[in-house]
Amino acid sequence: MKTMPLRLPLLAMLLSGPVLAAAPSPFPTLDGKPPLVVAHRGASGYLPDHTLEGYAKAIELGADYIEPDLVSTKDGVLIARHEPNLKDTTDVARHPEFAARKRTLKVDGVEEEGWFASDFTLAEIKTLRAVQPRADRSKAFDGQFLIPTFDEVLALRAQQSQALGRDIGVYPETKHPTWHQQQGLALEQPLVALLAKYRLNRKAAPVFIQSFEAANLRTLRKLTPNKLVYLLDANDVRPDGSIDTIRPYDHVVAGDARTYADMLTPAGLKEIRRFADGIGPWKPYLISWQAMTDKAGKAVDVNGDKVIDQRDMTLLEPNSVIRDAHKLGLVVHPYTFRNEARHLAANFMDKPAEEYRLFFAAGVDGVFTDYTDTALATRHLMQQGQ
Protein backbone atom coordinates (compact mmCIF):
# COMPACT_ATOMS: atom_id res chain seq x y z
CA MET A 1 0.00 0.00 0.00
CA LYS A 2 1.24 3.47 -0.86
CA THR A 3 1.66 5.95 1.94
CA MET A 4 0.77 9.59 1.41
CA PRO A 5 3.83 11.84 1.90
CA LEU A 6 3.57 14.06 4.93
CA ARG A 7 3.19 17.29 2.95
CA LEU A 8 0.04 15.97 1.26
CA PRO A 9 0.90 16.49 -2.43
CA LEU A 10 -2.22 14.47 -3.22
CA LEU A 11 -4.30 17.09 -1.40
CA ALA A 12 -2.66 19.85 -3.41
CA MET A 13 -3.36 17.94 -6.60
CA LEU A 14 -7.00 17.43 -5.65
CA LEU A 15 -7.48 21.10 -4.84
CA SER A 16 -5.82 22.53 -7.95
CA GLY A 17 -5.13 21.75 -11.57
CA PRO A 18 -7.24 21.79 -14.71
CA VAL A 19 -9.81 19.21 -13.59
CA LEU A 20 -11.06 21.11 -10.56
CA ALA A 21 -10.50 24.50 -12.21
CA ALA A 22 -13.00 23.54 -14.91
CA ALA A 23 -15.55 22.19 -12.44
CA PRO A 24 -18.54 24.32 -11.35
CA SER A 25 -17.91 23.43 -7.70
CA PRO A 26 -14.74 22.97 -5.62
CA PHE A 27 -16.41 19.90 -4.12
CA PRO A 28 -16.66 16.66 -6.13
CA THR A 29 -19.76 15.57 -4.22
CA LEU A 30 -22.50 13.49 -5.76
CA ASP A 31 -24.61 16.58 -6.55
CA GLY A 32 -21.81 19.15 -6.76
CA LYS A 33 -23.10 20.98 -3.68
CA PRO A 34 -20.94 21.70 -0.62
CA PRO A 35 -20.66 18.73 1.75
CA LEU A 36 -23.03 18.70 4.71
CA VAL A 37 -21.76 19.39 8.21
CA VAL A 38 -23.47 17.07 10.69
CA ALA A 39 -23.15 18.00 14.37
CA HIS A 40 -22.16 14.65 15.87
CA ARG A 41 -24.15 14.23 19.13
CA GLY A 42 -24.62 18.01 19.15
CA ALA A 43 -21.73 20.38 19.91
CA SER A 44 -19.97 17.45 21.56
CA GLY A 45 -16.53 19.04 21.39
CA TYR A 46 -17.77 21.71 23.78
CA LEU A 47 -20.73 20.36 25.75
CA PRO A 48 -21.87 16.93 26.98
CA ASP A 49 -23.27 14.68 24.26
CA HIS A 50 -26.95 14.63 23.35
CA THR A 51 -28.38 17.55 25.28
CA LEU A 52 -30.76 20.26 24.06
CA GLU A 53 -28.10 22.78 25.00
CA GLY A 54 -25.55 20.91 22.87
CA TYR A 55 -27.85 20.73 19.87
CA ALA A 56 -28.70 24.42 20.25
CA LYS A 57 -25.00 25.28 20.38
CA ALA A 58 -24.35 23.28 17.21
CA ILE A 59 -27.19 25.11 15.48
CA GLU A 60 -25.77 28.42 16.68
CA LEU A 61 -22.42 27.43 15.18
CA GLY A 62 -24.16 26.79 11.85
CA ALA A 63 -24.59 23.01 11.62
CA ASP A 64 -26.57 21.80 8.63
CA TYR A 65 -27.81 18.77 10.60
CA ILE A 66 -27.93 17.76 14.25
CA GLU A 67 -27.45 14.10 15.14
CA PRO A 68 -29.36 12.43 17.98
CA ASP A 69 -28.63 8.78 18.77
CA LEU A 70 -31.82 7.07 19.88
CA VAL A 71 -32.45 4.43 22.54
CA SER A 72 -35.70 3.46 24.26
CA THR A 73 -36.86 3.79 27.84
CA LYS A 74 -38.77 1.04 29.63
CA ASP A 75 -42.02 2.73 28.71
CA GLY A 76 -41.16 2.98 25.03
CA VAL A 77 -40.06 6.62 24.77
CA LEU A 78 -37.16 7.47 22.46
CA ILE A 79 -34.43 9.43 24.21
CA ALA A 80 -31.14 10.81 22.93
CA ARG A 81 -28.24 8.76 24.30
CA HIS A 82 -25.24 7.23 22.60
CA GLU A 83 -25.87 3.78 24.08
CA PRO A 84 -28.55 1.95 26.10
CA ASN A 85 -25.98 1.83 28.91
CA LEU A 86 -26.20 5.10 30.83
CA LYS A 87 -23.10 4.73 33.00
CA ASP A 88 -20.74 6.89 30.92
CA THR A 89 -23.05 9.66 29.73
CA THR A 90 -25.19 10.37 32.79
CA ASP A 91 -24.79 10.83 36.54
CA VAL A 92 -26.82 7.68 37.28
CA ALA A 93 -24.01 6.26 39.44
CA ARG A 94 -24.52 9.19 41.84
CA HIS A 95 -28.17 8.32 42.42
CA PRO A 96 -28.43 5.94 45.39
CA GLU A 97 -32.09 5.33 44.60
CA PHE A 98 -30.98 3.54 41.41
CA ALA A 99 -28.07 1.56 42.86
CA ALA A 100 -30.04 -1.70 42.64
CA ARG A 101 -30.64 -1.15 38.92
CA LYS A 102 -26.99 -1.73 38.13
CA ARG A 103 -26.57 -5.06 36.36
CA THR A 104 -24.69 -6.98 33.69
CA LEU A 105 -26.47 -7.28 30.37
CA LYS A 106 -25.53 -8.50 26.91
CA VAL A 107 -25.80 -5.84 24.23
CA ASP A 108 -25.21 -7.19 20.73
CA GLY A 109 -23.75 -10.32 22.31
CA VAL A 110 -21.21 -8.44 24.45
CA GLU A 111 -21.57 -8.31 28.24
CA GLU A 112 -21.74 -4.83 29.75
CA GLU A 113 -22.13 -3.70 33.34
CA GLY A 114 -24.07 -0.58 34.11
CA TRP A 115 -27.51 1.01 34.14
CA PHE A 116 -29.64 0.54 31.05
CA ALA A 117 -32.26 2.91 29.68
CA SER A 118 -34.61 0.00 29.08
CA ASP A 119 -34.82 -0.48 32.88
CA PHE A 120 -35.95 3.12 33.47
CA THR A 121 -39.18 4.98 32.81
CA LEU A 122 -38.99 8.39 31.18
CA ALA A 123 -39.92 10.00 34.50
CA GLU A 124 -36.90 8.34 36.09
CA ILE A 125 -34.64 9.30 33.19
CA LYS A 126 -35.66 12.91 33.71
CA THR A 127 -34.10 12.84 37.20
CA LEU A 128 -30.67 12.16 35.65
CA ARG A 129 -28.25 14.68 34.20
CA ALA A 130 -25.78 14.44 31.34
CA VAL A 131 -22.02 14.19 31.87
CA GLN A 132 -19.03 14.44 29.55
CA PRO A 133 -17.99 10.86 28.63
CA ARG A 134 -14.55 11.71 27.23
CA ALA A 135 -11.62 12.11 29.63
CA ASP A 136 -9.87 14.64 27.35
CA ARG A 137 -12.76 17.12 27.37
CA SER A 138 -14.10 19.60 29.91
CA LYS A 139 -16.22 18.33 32.78
CA ALA A 140 -17.37 21.87 33.61
CA PHE A 141 -20.94 21.23 32.47
CA ASP A 142 -21.42 17.84 34.11
CA GLY A 143 -24.72 17.54 35.94
CA GLN A 144 -26.27 20.66 34.41
CA PHE A 145 -28.34 19.36 31.50
CA LEU A 146 -31.34 17.04 31.25
CA ILE A 147 -31.59 13.95 29.04
CA PRO A 148 -33.82 14.95 26.10
CA THR A 149 -36.47 12.93 24.33
CA PHE A 150 -36.42 12.72 20.55
CA ASP A 151 -39.69 14.63 20.61
CA GLU A 152 -37.94 17.49 22.41
CA VAL A 153 -35.07 17.43 19.91
CA LEU A 154 -37.51 17.68 17.01
CA ALA A 155 -39.34 20.53 18.73
CA LEU A 156 -36.04 22.37 19.16
CA ARG A 157 -35.21 21.81 15.49
CA ALA A 158 -38.59 23.20 14.43
CA GLN A 159 -38.32 26.24 16.70
CA GLN A 160 -34.77 27.05 15.65
CA SER A 161 -35.53 26.54 11.95
CA GLN A 162 -38.33 29.09 12.19
CA ALA A 163 -36.32 31.53 14.29
CA LEU A 164 -33.26 31.43 12.03
CA GLY A 165 -35.09 31.20 8.72
CA ARG A 166 -33.22 28.09 7.61
CA ASP A 167 -34.27 24.45 7.51
CA ILE A 168 -32.08 22.66 10.06
CA GLY A 169 -31.73 18.98 9.34
CA VAL A 170 -32.00 16.08 11.78
CA TYR A 171 -29.98 12.88 11.42
CA PRO A 172 -31.28 10.31 13.96
CA GLU A 173 -29.49 7.02 14.52
CA THR A 174 -31.28 3.89 15.70
CA LYS A 175 -28.91 2.40 18.28
CA HIS A 176 -28.76 -1.40 18.50
CA PRO A 177 -32.12 -1.94 16.75
CA THR A 178 -32.02 -5.75 16.83
CA TRP A 179 -31.19 -5.67 20.54
CA HIS A 180 -34.07 -3.27 21.16
CA GLN A 181 -36.41 -5.63 19.33
CA GLN A 182 -35.19 -8.42 21.60
CA GLN A 183 -36.18 -6.27 24.60
CA GLY A 184 -39.67 -5.73 23.15
CA LEU A 185 -38.82 -2.07 22.48
CA ALA A 186 -38.54 -1.83 18.69
CA LEU A 187 -37.40 1.60 17.56
CA GLU A 188 -38.83 1.83 14.06
CA GLN A 189 -42.49 2.69 14.63
CA PRO A 190 -41.90 5.28 17.39
CA LEU A 191 -39.25 6.97 15.22
CA VAL A 192 -41.48 7.18 12.17
CA ALA A 193 -44.43 8.38 14.25
CA LEU A 194 -42.44 11.28 15.69
CA LEU A 195 -41.13 12.32 12.29
CA ALA A 196 -44.71 12.30 11.04
CA LYS A 197 -45.78 14.42 14.02
CA TYR A 198 -43.38 17.13 12.87
CA ARG A 199 -44.28 16.69 9.17
CA LEU A 200 -40.83 15.30 8.41
CA ASN A 201 -41.93 11.88 7.19
CA ARG A 202 -41.25 12.62 3.53
CA LYS A 203 -38.46 12.09 1.02
CA ALA A 204 -37.61 15.77 0.58
CA ALA A 205 -37.50 16.48 4.32
CA PRO A 206 -34.12 17.49 5.82
CA VAL A 207 -33.83 14.05 7.42
CA PHE A 208 -31.43 11.13 7.17
CA ILE A 209 -32.08 8.04 9.31
CA GLN A 210 -28.92 6.06 9.98
CA SER A 211 -28.24 2.58 11.28
CA PHE A 212 -25.42 0.05 11.57
CA GLU A 213 -27.91 -2.70 10.69
CA ALA A 214 -29.31 -3.39 7.23
CA ALA A 215 -32.31 -5.26 8.65
CA ASN A 216 -33.37 -2.11 10.48
CA LEU A 217 -33.06 -0.01 7.32
CA ARG A 218 -35.01 -2.56 5.29
CA THR A 219 -37.83 -2.30 7.82
CA LEU A 220 -37.69 1.50 7.76
CA ARG A 221 -37.74 1.50 3.96
CA LYS A 222 -41.24 0.00 4.18
CA LEU A 223 -42.39 2.51 6.79
CA THR A 224 -41.04 5.85 5.62
CA PRO A 225 -39.88 7.69 2.49
CA ASN A 226 -37.11 9.40 4.48
CA LYS A 227 -33.55 9.08 3.25
CA LEU A 228 -31.65 6.19 4.85
CA VAL A 229 -27.91 5.77 5.50
CA TYR A 230 -26.05 2.54 6.25
CA LEU A 231 -23.27 2.97 8.82
CA LEU A 232 -20.15 0.82 8.72
CA ASP A 233 -17.97 0.15 11.74
CA ALA A 234 -14.73 -1.67 12.60
CA ASN A 235 -12.58 -2.55 15.59
CA ASP A 236 -9.37 -0.82 14.62
CA VAL A 237 -6.77 -0.16 11.95
CA ARG A 238 -3.87 -2.62 11.94
CA PRO A 239 -0.30 -1.28 11.77
CA ASP A 240 -0.12 -2.12 8.04
CA GLY A 241 -3.22 -0.01 7.34
CA SER A 242 -5.66 -2.87 6.84
CA ILE A 243 -8.98 -2.65 8.66
CA ASP A 244 -9.81 -4.99 11.54
CA THR A 245 -13.42 -5.22 10.47
CA ILE A 246 -16.44 -6.74 12.23
CA ARG A 247 -19.82 -8.25 11.37
CA PRO A 248 -23.01 -6.24 11.80
CA TYR A 249 -25.09 -7.63 14.66
CA ASP A 250 -28.06 -8.30 12.41
CA HIS A 251 -25.71 -10.39 10.24
CA VAL A 252 -24.58 -12.30 13.33
CA VAL A 253 -28.18 -13.04 14.30
CA ALA A 254 -29.09 -14.08 10.75
CA GLY A 255 -25.99 -16.25 10.29
CA ASP A 256 -24.65 -13.97 7.54
CA ALA A 257 -20.85 -14.23 7.46
CA ARG A 258 -20.29 -10.90 5.70
CA THR A 259 -18.46 -8.10 7.47
CA TYR A 260 -18.76 -4.35 7.07
CA ALA A 261 -15.72 -4.47 4.79
CA ASP A 262 -17.57 -6.91 2.54
CA MET A 263 -20.41 -4.41 2.29
CA LEU A 264 -18.02 -1.80 0.87
CA THR A 265 -17.03 -3.90 -2.12
CA PRO A 266 -18.76 -3.03 -5.42
CA ALA A 267 -21.13 -5.97 -4.89
CA GLY A 268 -21.84 -4.92 -1.31
CA LEU A 269 -22.53 -1.33 -2.34
CA LYS A 270 -24.99 -2.53 -4.98
CA GLU A 271 -26.87 -4.38 -2.25
CA ILE A 272 -26.83 -1.31 0.01
CA ARG A 273 -28.38 0.70 -2.81
CA ARG A 274 -31.47 -1.51 -2.57
CA PHE A 275 -32.30 -0.35 0.96
CA ALA A 276 -30.40 2.90 1.56
CA ASP A 277 -29.58 6.23 -0.03
CA GLY A 278 -26.08 6.52 1.32
CA ILE A 279 -23.28 5.13 3.46
CA GLY A 280 -21.69 6.41 6.67
CA PRO A 281 -18.32 4.65 6.91
CA TRP A 282 -15.70 5.02 9.61
CA LYS A 283 -13.06 7.32 8.05
CA PRO A 284 -10.29 4.75 7.48
CA TYR A 285 -12.62 2.74 5.26
CA LEU A 286 -12.05 5.61 2.80
CA ILE A 287 -8.54 6.79 3.62
CA SER A 288 -6.63 4.52 5.98
CA TRP A 289 -3.41 5.11 7.88
CA GLN A 290 -0.26 3.15 8.48
CA ALA A 291 2.09 2.91 11.43
CA MET A 292 5.85 2.87 11.44
CA THR A 293 6.64 -0.59 12.79
CA ASP A 294 9.50 -2.38 14.50
CA LYS A 295 10.90 -5.76 13.44
CA ALA A 296 8.04 -7.52 15.22
CA GLY A 297 5.48 -5.55 13.20
CA LYS A 298 4.32 -3.48 16.17
CA ALA A 299 3.56 0.22 15.89
CA VAL A 300 6.32 2.59 17.01
CA ASP A 301 5.94 5.74 19.10
CA VAL A 302 7.36 8.01 16.40
CA ASN A 303 7.02 11.36 18.19
CA GLY A 304 8.30 10.01 21.51
CA ASP A 305 5.36 11.13 23.64
CA LYS A 306 5.00 7.62 25.14
CA VAL A 307 1.56 7.21 23.53
CA ILE A 308 0.85 5.56 20.20
CA ASP A 309 -2.01 7.39 18.52
CA GLN A 310 -2.89 9.06 15.21
CA ARG A 311 0.07 11.43 15.47
CA ASP A 312 2.32 8.42 14.89
CA MET A 313 0.47 7.35 11.73
CA THR A 314 0.78 8.42 8.10
CA LEU A 315 -2.07 8.28 5.62
CA LEU A 316 -2.43 5.83 2.78
CA GLU A 317 -3.78 6.83 -0.62
CA PRO A 318 -7.59 7.12 -0.85
CA ASN A 319 -9.29 3.99 -2.12
CA SER A 320 -12.18 3.76 -4.61
CA VAL A 321 -15.11 3.56 -2.16
CA ILE A 322 -16.30 7.16 -2.65
CA ARG A 323 -16.11 6.82 -6.42
CA ASP A 324 -17.82 3.42 -6.37
CA ALA A 325 -20.62 4.72 -4.12
CA HIS A 326 -21.18 7.80 -6.26
CA LYS A 327 -21.50 5.65 -9.38
CA LEU A 328 -24.47 4.00 -7.70
CA GLY A 329 -25.99 7.28 -6.56
CA LEU A 330 -25.08 6.75 -2.90
CA VAL A 331 -24.00 9.70 -0.78
CA VAL A 332 -20.98 9.22 1.50
CA HIS A 333 -20.94 10.69 5.03
CA PRO A 334 -17.89 9.46 7.00
CA TYR A 335 -17.39 9.76 10.77
CA THR A 336 -16.03 11.10 13.15
CA PHE A 337 -13.93 14.26 12.73
CA ARG A 338 -12.35 15.70 15.87
CA ASN A 339 -9.96 18.57 16.59
CA GLU A 340 -7.80 16.95 19.26
CA ALA A 341 -4.26 16.34 18.01
CA ARG A 342 -4.27 12.69 19.05
CA HIS A 343 -7.02 12.04 16.48
CA LEU A 344 -5.05 13.59 13.60
CA ALA A 345 -2.58 11.68 11.46
CA ALA A 346 0.96 13.02 11.19
CA ASN A 347 0.19 14.35 7.68
CA PHE A 348 -2.11 16.99 9.16
CA MET A 349 0.57 18.46 11.45
CA ASP A 350 -1.95 19.01 14.29
CA LYS A 351 -4.21 21.05 11.99
CA PRO A 352 -7.77 19.65 11.92
CA ALA A 353 -8.69 21.85 8.95
CA GLU A 354 -6.27 19.86 6.81
CA GLU A 355 -8.20 16.66 7.47
CA TYR A 356 -11.44 18.28 6.36
CA ARG A 357 -9.72 19.63 3.26
CA LEU A 358 -8.52 16.17 2.29
CA PHE A 359 -11.91 14.50 2.71
CA PHE A 360 -13.83 17.37 1.13
CA ALA A 361 -11.50 17.29 -1.87
CA ALA A 362 -11.87 13.52 -2.10
CA GLY A 363 -15.61 13.98 -2.67
CA VAL A 364 -17.43 13.10 0.57
CA ASP A 365 -20.97 14.44 0.67
CA GLY A 366 -20.94 15.25 4.37
CA VAL A 367 -19.02 14.71 7.59
CA PHE A 368 -19.94 13.87 11.17
CA THR A 369 -17.98 16.22 13.37
CA ASP A 370 -17.63 17.06 17.06
CA TYR A 371 -16.54 20.57 16.04
CA THR A 372 -19.10 22.13 13.71
CA ASP A 373 -17.29 25.46 13.61
CA THR A 374 -14.01 24.01 12.35
CA ALA A 375 -15.73 22.03 9.60
CA LEU A 376 -17.77 25.01 8.46
CA ALA A 377 -14.78 27.37 8.48
CA THR A 378 -12.82 24.96 6.30
CA ARG A 379 -15.74 24.48 3.92
CA HIS A 380 -16.12 28.25 3.61
CA LEU A 381 -12.45 28.75 2.81
CA MET A 382 -12.59 26.10 0.11
CA GLN A 383 -15.69 27.73 -1.36
CA GLN A 384 -13.67 30.95 -1.54
CA GLY A 385 -10.89 29.15 -3.35
CA GLN A 386 -8.55 29.34 -0.38
Side-chain angles (χ1 to χ4, degrees):
M1 285 180 272
K2 292 180 66 179
T3 302
M4 296 175 67
L6 289 177
R7 292 294 178 180
L8 289 179
L10 176 64
L11 177 57
M13 179 187 74
L14 286 168
L15 292 178
S16 61
V19 176
L20 282 182
S25 167
F27 306 108
T29 53
L30 183 62
D31 59 7
K33 295 179 181 179
L36 299 173
V37 173
V38 183
H40 182 242
R41 310 180 197 173
S44 53
Y46 302 107
L47 296 172
D49 299 353
H50 298 306
T51 63
L52 292 180
E53 292 79 4
Y55 297 129
K57 179 67 175 178
I59 292 168
E60 176 190 331
L61 293 172
D64 299 310
Y65 281 71
I66 54 174
E67 187 228 15
D69 296 331
L70 303 180
V71 303
S72 181
T73 64
K74 183 179 182 179
D75 43 351
V77 179
L78 298 184
I79 61 171
R81 287 293 88 193
H82 182 241
E83 293 291 336
N85 196 337
L86 304 172
K87 69 180 179 66
D88 294 328
T89 64
T90 76
D91 63 356
V92 64
R94 301 172 194 166
H95 287 253
E97 69 273 25
F98 298 135
R101 303 277 181 95
K102 187 177 185 180
R103 64 173 175 141
T104 298
L105 190 63
K106 278 191 175 182
V107 179
D108 290 2
V110 179
E111 284 195 348
E112 296 183 21
E113 184 180 48
W115 292 262
F116 297 86
S118 54
D119 293 331
F120 291 75
T121 65
L122 177 62
E124 291 170 332
I125 290 290
K126 285 297 185 179
T127 68
L128 305 179
R129 297 295 182 269
V131 300
Q132 172 57 252
R134 300 181 69 90
D136 58 347
R137 291 182 180 166
S138 172
K139 299 281 188 178
F141 297 95
D142 283 9
Q144 295 188 27
F145 307 138
L146 293 169
I147 312 305
T149 65
F150 185 42
D151 196 339
E152 291 169 331
V153 175
L154 291 175
L156 173 71
R157 186 216 73 88
Q159 185 272 327
Q160 288 288 295
S161 292
Q162 183 174 12
L164 297 173
R166 67 182 182 93
D167 222 359
I168 299 157
V170 62
Y171 210 129
E173 179 186 342
T174 54
K175 300 297 294 190
H176 306 282
T178 296
W179 179 86
H180 272 96
Q181 288 176 358
Q182 293 168 344
Q183 312 309 305
L185 295 168
L187 303 174
E188 292 88 354
Q189 290 284 1
L191 168 59
V192 172
L194 282 169
L195 290 173
K197 175 182 176 180
Y198 288 88
R199 300 181 180 179
L200 293 171
N201 190 22
R202 50 192 170 82
K203 183 74 171 181
V207 175
F208 289 94
I209 304 173
Q210 55 178 326
S211 177
F212 283 103
E213 297 184 17
N216 173 236
L217 294 175
R218 291 182 192 276
T219 298
L220 286 165
R221 182 61 96 198
K222 298 174 184 177
L223 299 176
T224 177
N226 287 125
K227 298 178 288 293
L228 307 178
V229 171
Y230 186 50
L231 302 173
L232 301 106
D233 202 2
N235 282 326
D236 205 350
V237 178
R238 300 185 184 95
D240 66 357
S242 61
I243 308 296
D244 179 12
T245 190
I246 56 177
R247 291 164 67 197
Y249 186 59
D250 60 321
H251 282 195
V252 174
V253 171
D256 188 333
R258 290 177 300 171
T259 66
Y260 283 116
D262 292 325
M263 298 304 292
L264 286 174
T265 63
L269 289 169
K270 286 181 181 178
E271 180 174 339
I272 291 172
R273 189 65 187 89
R274 298 190 189 109
F275 60 82
D277 303 281
I279 58 172
W282 186 36
K283 290 183 300 186
Y285 274 125
L286 307 179
I287 303 174
S288 190
W289 51 75
Q290 191 175 57
M292 183 177 292
T293 57
D294 58 22
K295 292 181 179 179
K298 293 184 178 180
V300 173
D301 177 17
V302 178
N303 63 6
D305 63 356
K306 298 182 180 180
V307 176
I308 296 177
D309 55 27
Q310 291 295 288
R311 289 169 288 192
D312 302 299
M313 311 292 164
T314 54
L315 297 173
L316 297 172
E317 298 285 347
N319 58 35
S320 66
V321 170
I322 298 173
R323 183 170 64 251
D324 294 342
H326 281 178
K327 285 180 181 177
L328 294 168
L330 293 166
V331 295
V332 182
H333 298 162
Y335 67 91
T336 302
F337 290 75
R338 297 183 167 108
N339 282 12
E340 290 87 359
R342 69 188 186 89
H343 298 301
L344 299 169
N347 305 64
F348 302 127
M349 296 172 284
D350 296 343
K351 298 176 182 177
E354 295 304 309
E355 184 178 34
Y356 291 111
R357 284 182 178 274
L358 175 62
F359 279 84
F360 287 166
V364 299
D365 303 281
V367 293
F368 291 89
T369 176
D370 288 1
Y371 293 91
T372 292
D373 46 351
T374 306
L376 286 172
T378 307
R379 186 178 74 179
H380 177 72
L381 287 173
M382 291 181 68
Q383 286 176 292
Q384 301 303 311
Q386 300 178 43

